[in-house]
Amino acid sequence: MEIKTYRLQQHGDERGHLVSLEEKIDVPFEIKRVYYMFDTRPGVVRGMHAHKSLEQLLVCVHGSVKILLDDGEEKRTVVLDNPYEGLYVANNMWREMSEFTEGAVLMVFASKYYDEDDYIRDYDEFLRFVGKKQV
Ligand code: T46
């Protein structure tokens, strides 16, 4: 499975750092929605679902978080621990986010508006959806 990470351009100077993201330039799709999660309790695992068509870019703007990606055949984990690295998460990919450090903020840029019908929350259904399991 190919893991795509983007090194986001930093505009740093003596005052500090700034990262700017522009759709189809720094993010490989049109951005329809941005959301972020914070105050995640210790030991919590979020996600545990896939999306039928949504594409996303995940950036841990503070702290660190472990991301598990699973295409139904192979699982890979990536640790996001800096605000200038973006992890691209394609559709048809089971994802789990865990090991949020205290104060971690995970920001997500999404290619579509929120739509619960785009979620696959059952792992067996996900395997059938990606053709890795017989009906
Ligand atoms: C994903 C991973 C990385 C909304 O009302 N609008 C939104 O845009 C989102 C993302 C969520 N919600 C509501 C739905 C739930 O009642 O917020 C609540 C928490 O959402 P959820 O349990 O889906 O959150 P996570 O952290 O498990 O998953 C989220 C995204 O939902 C998902 O698309 O890929 O982050």
Side-chain angles (χ1 to χ4, degrees):
M1 183 206 309
E2 190 196 356
I3 296 286
K4 265 195 200 162
T5 56
Y6 290 82
R7 182 97 178 171
L8 308 173
Q9 207 188 335
Q10 288 189 72
H11 306 275
D13 57 30
E14 64 286 351
R15 297 169 299 170
H17 298 278
L18 183 153
V19 171
S20 147
L21 298 182
E22 297 186 354
E23 66 179 11
K24 291 189 154 175
I25 298 173
D26 307 287
V27 177
F29 48 77
E30 284 183 14
I31 300 165
K32 288 283 196 303
R33 180 166 52 105
V34 178
Y35 60 92
Y36 45 94
M37 53 203 81
F38 57 97
D39 266 357
T40 309
R41 302 280 174 260
V44 160
V45 181
R46 301 194 63 121
M48 305 184 74
H49 58 252
H51 280 282
K52 296 172 192 165
S53 64
L54 186 73
E55 296 173 83
Q56 302 191 105
L57 188 82
L58 277 54
V59 182
C60 190
V61 293
H62 188 256
S64 79
V65 60
K66 187 164 130 186
I67 313 287
L68 176 140
L69 295 179
D70 174 354
D71 65 2
E73 207 163 346
E74 198 186 337
K75 295 183 204 306
R76 299 273 304 271
T77 57
V78 178
V79 173
L80 293 180
D81 59 3
N82 68 69
Y84 47 85
E85 183 183 19
L87 173 68
Y88 174 71
V89 181
N91 61 326
N92 295 346
M93 194 68 76
W94 188 265
R95 79 282 320 267
E96 298 179 8
M97 301 88 78
S98 63
E99 298 181 25
F100 288 79
T101 55
E102 196 181 343
V105 180
L106 181 62
M107 184 166 280
V108 181
F109 300 84
S111 65
K112 289 178 182 264
Y113 297 117
Y114 178 69
D115 175 11
E116 185 56 38
D117 290 343
D118 194 64
Y119 285 71
I120 306 172
R121 295 190 182 273
D122 178 83
Y123 191 72
D124 282 341
E125 188 188 335
F126 162 67
L127 290 179
R128 285 192 290 274
F129 191 80
V130 295
K132 302 295 177 198
K133 190 175 177 171
Q134 299 303 313
V135 178

